[in-house]
Amino acid sequence: MGEPRYTTSTAFLEALGEAGVRYAFANLGSDHPGLLEAYAQARQEGAADRFPELIICPHESVAMSAAQGYAQVTGQPQAVIVHVDSGTQNLGGTLNNAAGARVPVLIFAGASPYTQEGELPGGRNEFIHWVQDVPDQRGIVRGYTKYDNEIRTGHNVKQVVHRALQIARSDPAGPVYLVCAREVLEQHIEPVRARPETFTPTAPGALAPEVARRIAEALAGARSPLVVTSHIGRDPQAVPELVGLCESLAVPVVESVPMYVNFPADHPLHLGYQWNTPGPNPVLAEADVILVLGSEVPWVPSINRPRADARIFVVDVDPLKERMPLWHVPAEVFARADPGVAVRQVADLVAAGPFDAAAVERRRADVRAEHERQVAERTERARPVNGTITPEYLAACVRAAIDDETIVLTEAITNFAVVSEQLARSEPGTLFGSGGGSLGWHAGAAIGAKLAAPGKTVVSLVGDGTFLFGVPSSAHWVANRYQAPSLTVIFDNQGWKAPKLSTLAVHPDGVAAANDDFNVRFTPEADLPGIAAAAGNAWGRTIDDPDELPAALKEAVDVVRAGRSAVLAVHLPSV
């Protein structure tokens, strides 16, 4: 077998391990012989633990979503390995999700060999090497990545990898992309040393003292202050800091398009959620001072906006949303800071400064009363209607079937608001959304979340369209192979409701509305649980009787906790 070889591939995989990357989610191709040889050699030497564990994913979107899910739960970046341009393209919208969720992921793709006459090991020897040679492979992802680069030599490969991960982890975090040709991956080099501790991410930024004081004074002097947030819960430790600030002044919180637990739903200062709100939110409309604390879409201004004289302050690691071509909030201050750090600064100033204690207590009582009214209203909606299962009833039954530590992945799209309201999660780090606009994230993310937290139950709440977008045959095969079981509950309305609602919003009196002609129904119906059963030995069932729902959910949860994935499709009123 010859002498052991140390190559660029060896150094690349070592660098990932040195950086704390636990898994490499991979869809392999003709550009990866160097990596496969390095893995085989390491296993033969009994030293494979210095590399990330290779998780084989038969579809790239599953690999990317799995890496994102792991990183969302742990905060630690993971790696994705894909095949040249085709594998990169097959990542598709999952890049949108990782970028939108600000999640660190390192994507590595090979590149077509750059020699063809046998000049170097790894040169072109298959017809596909010409077909997959494109002018700008890195350009495929440049609109969604923070950084892209080509590894040109093994001598500095570790520096390039550690720099890429340093950028990926620095706020605003996001995916990075590296490419490398086969000849470079096969390069025989001396062992490469690195100092990963010198590639730490940028430290969290704080508010300028005068800005922190201005925000604190505005909140303390407000008649009707409000915090709007979407993702401060990305850092679970920031949530109790926000609770402390809000309790000191009785400031209510509204979560707008939340992808995390940003504020405990059972707290009396929690005043609900905003998604595609059909009309003005009275809480937002009454506020005279609004702190937008980490939010891409704090409200939809054409439908739901603050009053004209409201004082607005925007605090985020990316307060201007620099990668969004069209975005504006009419704020008097835009401050670049870590939301958790900023909250602590403002809270300290509030505690030291004067405020009207009697007014705060009156507001506290008013907000508590509104919170209780909202809870009672949501509870009243959580029941079947005329013998059919409603989304509200389904979400409420899921809440009863799981515990506070269960990790919930929310991707039910037209039922986003229902899931938020009825699940009412209060434990930070137990609710995650994709962060972007590409559907099917849950399928891979559930695998990553389970690998990140093997002692916890993982539950995905999805629509039937979303379930199919997740490439369930691939995802459930991976989950079965790597013992990463989860429960998927399908809000099954037998079609795509989102395009129908969008059409009705623009053409409420149009022909499509008059004729109920939207081209969104899934007929004939597919056996969705059957896909998971066939591909991944999952437990599967479809129900439409509300009386059967609690027992079916209990059985499904028990199956997952015993080590087997489960898919429960629940028929709702048809789209």
Side-chain angles (χ1 to χ4, degrees), residues 485-508:
S486 68
L487 167 62
T488 305
V489 179
I490 304 174
F491 287 61
D492 189 353
N493 56 16
Q494 300 94 62
W496 278 324
K497 192 175 182 180
K500 179 177 180 178
L501 293 180
S502 296
T503 303
L504 288 171
V506 178
H507 301 285

Side-chain angles (χ1 to χ4, degrees), residues 56-210:
I56 302 304
C57 300
H59 197 281
E60 292 84 351
S61 68
V62 175
M64 185 68 184
S65 296
Q68 178 179 338
Y70 188 102
Q72 284 177 290
V73 171
T74 65
Q76 297 301 311
Q78 300 302 292
V80 173
I81 298 174
V82 297
H83 180 47
V84 290
D85 65 322
S86 298
T88 300
Q89 289 173 310
N90 233 18
L91 292 170
T94 57
L95 268 172
N96 176 303
N97 292 336
R102 301 178 184 173
V103 172
V105 175
L106 185 145
I107 305 158
F108 174 82
S112 287
Y114 54 78
T115 59
Q116 64 178 13
E117 305 289 348
E119 301 94 329
L120 291 171
R124 297 188 182 189
N125 61 358
E126 301 177 35
F127 81 90
I128 202 69
H129 294 150
W130 283 267
V131 176
Q132 293 176 330
D133 192 6
V134 295
D136 186 12
Q137 181 176 315
R138 289 153 59 188
I140 297 170
V141 302
R142 199 165 288 131
Y144 301 94
T145 55
K146 290 189 66 183
Y147 170 83
D148 65 84
N149 200 358
E150 179 181 357
I151 299 169
R152 296 181 174 90
T153 174
H155 296 294
N156 70 347
V157 60
K158 288 193 175 182
Q159 183 182 54
V160 172
V161 169
H162 288 306
R163 171 168 166 74
L165 285 167
Q166 180 183 38
I167 293 172
R169 295 167 60 201
S170 296
D171 277 331
V176 295
Y177 182 74
L178 297 177
V179 301
C180 186
R182 289 207 316 182
E183 292 93 334
V184 177
L185 287 172
E186 296 290 345
Q187 182 185 6
H188 191 185
I189 58 177
E190 293 298 315
V192 178
R193 305 288 178 234
R195 294 179 61 201
E197 70 276 7
T198 66
F199 289 88
T200 56
T202 55
L207 294 171
E210 62 272 19

Side-chain angles (χ1 to χ4, degrees), residues 178-361:
L178 297 177
V179 301
C180 186
R182 289 207 316 182
E183 292 93 334
V184 177
L185 287 172
E186 296 290 345
Q187 182 185 6
H188 191 185
I189 58 177
E190 293 298 315
V192 178
R193 305 288 178 234
R195 294 179 61 201
E197 70 276 7
T198 66
F199 289 88
T200 56
T202 55
L207 294 171
E210 62 272 19
V211 172
R213 185 168 300 280
R214 188 171 170 184
I215 294 172
E217 290 175 351
L219 290 172
R223 178 189 59 80
S224 183
L226 177 67
V227 169
V228 178
T229 184
S230 300
H231 52 67
I232 192 173
R234 181 183 292 114
D235 174 11
Q237 296 181 359
V239 176
E241 300 285 353
L242 179 58
V243 171
L245 170 62
C246 291
E247 286 180 341
S248 67
L249 292 174
V251 180
V253 174
V254 168
E255 294 187 70
S256 184
V257 196
M259 296 290 165
Y260 301 87
V261 175
N262 300 296
F263 198 83
D266 59 4
H267 195 286
L269 291 175
H270 192 288
L271 286 191
Y273 307 88
Q274 292 180 164
W275 290 88
N276 290 339
T277 307
N281 182 339
V283 178
L284 180 67
E286 292 172 6
D288 59 345
V289 173
I290 302 170
L291 174 57
V292 178
L293 194 62
S295 179
E296 274 65 51
V297 187
W299 49 78
V300 177
S302 63
I303 301 170
N304 174 39
R305 66 171 71 204
R307 53 195 261 189
D309 63 345
R311 299 182 65 190
I312 301 172
F313 302 85
V314 174
V315 177
D316 197 0
V317 294
D318 178 21
L320 297 182
K321 318 306 172 197
E322 294 169 10
R323 296 180 72 94
M324 291 184 181
L326 179 64
W327 186 91
H328 179 62
V329 167
E332 63 180 80
V333 169
F334 295 90
R336 189 183 303 276
D338 176 88
V341 173
V343 165
R344 286 190 286 275
Q345 289 179 272
V346 173
D348 288 344
L349 290 169
V350 166
F355 56 84
D356 187 337
V360 167
E361 292 311 308

